[in-house]
């Protein structure tokens, strides 16, 4: 997708929602989502993701703020008169109906005449690459096919936005991985706006054009996966999106372009990007795991420490190293599959450049 420009398709403005029990699930959330985007709301359980999705679907009313979809104020419009469609966990297909009957359901409810209905349904089956499977029962479909039926069922009523609530969270890891790729492909094909909710970093990073990180009713950051990864705005985002090697420490020396920070009983050199950090200040920073060099390739780097290889994990094309420091702390390194990797228990030199260290807001 191109960089989003123009008028957003969905505008969420200062939405506040407090439940009768007194929990404020959303504390003034604003968000813009653009036509054709795969946008993911990512955050820990209880962060307010489902509440926001339900407000967009019209199943819940905000106490304050507004929701504008395609230029129209939808804040108080009931669900059936909105241009949104919600897909629940495990898709909630009707098991006693055929695939086609599932897809037809929404059109029947809208009292579309039979012939028109059938034409629309067949068109949808072609769109999601399921042509020929109209008569199948739900149990005769694979996981991927069920997902596509659910998408067809939601898209047949031509919503502006498809809302997906943790739809992959109960699937086993292998199936969830396949579904992620499928879902992304279907979204690309349809060129529709998907708003996907998940607590899984992997799902968010695999599928999204942009991600909004929602925690305790507040949007912590919005950005592309790369932006979040490279420049997490605060330690919550860095931590939550699984950033290894997150440290906090005190600045002991600062010059124009470098900081010396004391952390873990060591001194770390960190690039003074903002030029704002001063001596005595507590800062957070992280060392991206793929920037850490091990062994001879660590020579000449601004930061060098001794470590013991505690564990090696092979993950696809990568090798993950757990590197134990004398202080008892652990650094993580991620290397593209090298043939002569360092063995568990060996002592190694570990290094990284000051310019690779990212300073966070604390
Ligand atoms: P998430 O989807 O990120 O897990 P939710 O939107 O489900 O978050 O919940 C946000 C907060 O609102 C939680 O503290 C949750 O307990 C509370 N909450 C959600 N739904 C209700 C409800 N119907 N009544 C009372 N509290 C609720």
């Amino acid at each position: 997708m191109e960089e989003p420009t123009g008028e957003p398709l969905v505008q969420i403005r200062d939405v506040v929602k407090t439940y009768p029990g007194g929990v404020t699930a959303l504390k003034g959330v604003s968000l813009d989502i653009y036509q054709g985007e795969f946008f993911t709301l990512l955050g820990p359980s209880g962060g307010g993701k489902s509440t926001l999705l339900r407000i967009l679907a019209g199943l819940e009313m905000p106490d304050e703020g507004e929701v504008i979809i395609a230029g129209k104020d939808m804040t108080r419009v009931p669900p059936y008169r909105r241009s949104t469609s919600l897909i629940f966990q495990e898709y909630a297909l009707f098991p006693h109906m055929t695939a086609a009957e599932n897809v037809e359901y929404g059109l029947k409810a809208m009292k579309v005449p039979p012939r028109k209905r059938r034409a629309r349904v067949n068109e949808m089956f072609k769109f999601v690459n399921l042509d020929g499977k109209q008569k199948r029962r739900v149990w005769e479909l694979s996981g991927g096919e069920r997902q596509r039926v659910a998408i067809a069922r939601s898209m047949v009523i031509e919503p502006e936005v498809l809302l997906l609530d943790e739809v992959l969270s109960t699937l086993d890891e292998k199936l969830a991985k396949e579904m992620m790729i499928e879902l992304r492909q279907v979204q690309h094909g349809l060129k529709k706006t998907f708003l996907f909710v998940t607590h899984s970093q992997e799902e968010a990073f695999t599928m999204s054009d942009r991600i909004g990180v929602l925690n305790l009713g507040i949007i912590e950051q919005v950005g592309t996966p790369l932006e979040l990864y490279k420049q997490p705005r605060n330690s919550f985002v860095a931590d939550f999106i699984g950033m290894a090697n997150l440290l906090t420490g005190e600045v002991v020396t600062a010059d124009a372009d470098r900081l010396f920070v004391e952390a873990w009983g060591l001194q770390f050199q960190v690039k003074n990007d903002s030029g704002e950090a001063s001596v005595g200040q507590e800062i957070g920073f992280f060392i991206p795991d793929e920037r850490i060099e091990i062994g001879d390739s660590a020579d000449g780097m601004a930061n060098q420490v001794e470590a013991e290889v505690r564990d090696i994990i092979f993950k696809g094309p990568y090798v993950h190293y757990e590197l134990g420091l004398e202080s008892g702390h652990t650094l993580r390194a991620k290397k593209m599959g090298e043939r002569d990797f360092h063995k568990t228990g060996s002592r190694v030199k570990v290094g990284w450049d000051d310019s690779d260290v990212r300073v966070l807001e604390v």
Side-chain angles (χ1 to χ4, degrees):
M1 237 207 70
E2 307 280 305
E3 273 287 293
T5 47
E7 175 94 342
L9 178 66
V10 180
Q11 299 176 57
I12 300 161
R13 295 270 166 271
D14 305 313
V15 164
V16 175
K17 174 73 189 177
T18 301
Y19 283 109
V23 176
T24 302
L26 300 171
K27 301 172 182 163
V29 166
S30 296
L31 207 54
D32 288 336
I33 298 162
Y34 293 84
Q35 163 59 41
E37 262 195 307
F38 196 121
F39 191 98
T40 298
L41 279 173
L42 171 68
S45 173
K49 305 181 296 294
S50 295
T51 302
L52 189 54
L53 211 62
R54 290 167 60 80
I55 285 175
L56 285 168
L59 300 169
E60 210 73 75
M61 293 291 138
D63 302 318
E64 286 172 41
E66 51 194 16
V67 172
I68 296 156
I69 302 173
K72 294 193 197 97
D73 186 345
M74 290 280 149
T75 318
R76 318 250 151 231
V77 173
Y80 55 90
R81 291 181 50 206
R82 290 193 180 211
S83 46
T84 55
S85 189
L86 183 60
I87 298 187
F88 294 101
Q89 227 172 52
E90 292 180 85
Y91 320 122
L93 293 174
F94 303 121
H96 57 287
M97 292 183 187
T98 62
E101 285 163 353
N102 265 283
V103 176
E104 197 181 0
Y105 183 82
L107 298 175
K108 255 186 179 166
M110 288 163 77
K111 305 222 170 8
V112 175
R115 191 180 302 166
K116 220 169 166 185
R117 263 187 346 234
R118 274 193 292 277
R120 279 292 294 142
V121 168
N122 286 331
E123 206 178 303
M124 270 328 291
F125 271 78
K126 286 206 187 86
F127 255 132
V128 297
N129 241 332
L130 273 181
D131 203 19
K133 306 222 161 127
Q134 281 88 332
K135 294 228 162 71
R136 294 270 183 100
R137 300 272 156 183
V138 171
W139 67 83
E140 295 170 327
L141 299 167
S142 72
E145 289 167 346
R146 279 181 208 179
Q147 176 165 277
R148 281 183 269 157
V149 171
I151 291 168
R153 184 176 66 175
S154 300
M155 297 308 298
V156 77
I157 58 169
E158 297 182 41
E160 299 273 6
V161 190
L162 189 61
L163 309 169
L164 303 109
D165 196 358
E166 297 267 11
V167 294
L168 306 181
S169 66
T170 56
L171 305 179
D172 70 57
E173 203 179 324
K174 190 168 164 283
L175 187 58
K177 275 218 171 94
E178 289 168 20
M179 298 296 99
M180 281 180 226
I181 294 158
E182 275 231 20
L183 199 52
R184 180 64 184 164
Q185 280 171 351
V186 172
Q187 188 267 344
H188 255 269
L190 293 171
K191 296 189 177 61
K192 283 288 179 179
T193 309
F194 279 29
L195 179 54
F196 185 84
V197 159
T198 185
H199 62 275
S200 154
Q201 297 87 325
E202 188 186 355
E203 289 175 14
F205 273 73
T206 305
M207 294 186 284
S208 317
D209 292 309
R210 289 192 307 147
I211 298 170
V213 181
L214 187 59
N215 179 40
L216 296 174
I218 287 168
I219 296 278
E220 300 276 3
Q221 187 170 3
V222 177
T224 64
L226 199 66
E227 280 165 358
L228 296 188
Y229 183 74
K230 280 191 163 167
Q231 280 167 330
R233 238 185 63 199
N234 54 35
S235 49
F236 174 81
V237 177
D239 238 358
F240 188 71
I241 63 179
M243 218 63 76
N245 310 328
L246 186 71
L247 291 85
T248 53
E250 190 188 318
V251 178
V252 286
T253 317
D255 62 32
D257 51 31
R258 248 179 327 172
L259 305 172
F260 288 82
V261 187
E262 210 158 78
W264 292 359
L266 294 164
Q267 272 206 14
F268 293 86
Q269 286 188 47
V270 176
K271 199 135 176 63
N272 192 5
D273 277 332
S274 67
E276 281 165 15
S278 52
V279 174
Q281 196 186 335
E282 183 90 2
I283 64 161
F285 60 99
F286 75 91
I287 312 154
D289 52 6
E290 74 269 39
R291 297 275 175 261
I292 292 188
E293 296 296 338
I294 305 171
D296 293 341
S297 45
D299 281 344
M301 301 197 108
N303 291 284
Q304 287 184 30
V305 288
E306 287 277 313
E308 183 192 320
V309 177
R310 285 228 191 94
D311 204 2
I312 301 170
I313 302 150
F314 295 91
K315 259 195 178 174
Y318 294 102
V319 184
H320 292 246
Y321 289 94
E322 297 268 337
L323 303 160
L325 308 187
E326 220 157 84
S327 61
H329 294 92
T330 304
L331 282 174
R332 289 200 200 123
K334 181 171 147 191
K335 302 273 101 196
M336 277 301 270
E338 292 162 55
R339 226 166 261 156
D340 43 359
F341 54 85
H342 309 276
K343 296 194 172 51
T344 309
S346 60
R347 294 203 67 78
V348 290
K349 192 170 16 173
V350 172
W352 61 95
D353 270 327
D354 55 347
S355 56
D356 286 329
V357 182
R358 316 235 170 256
V359 177
L360 308 166
E361 296 168 23
V362 234

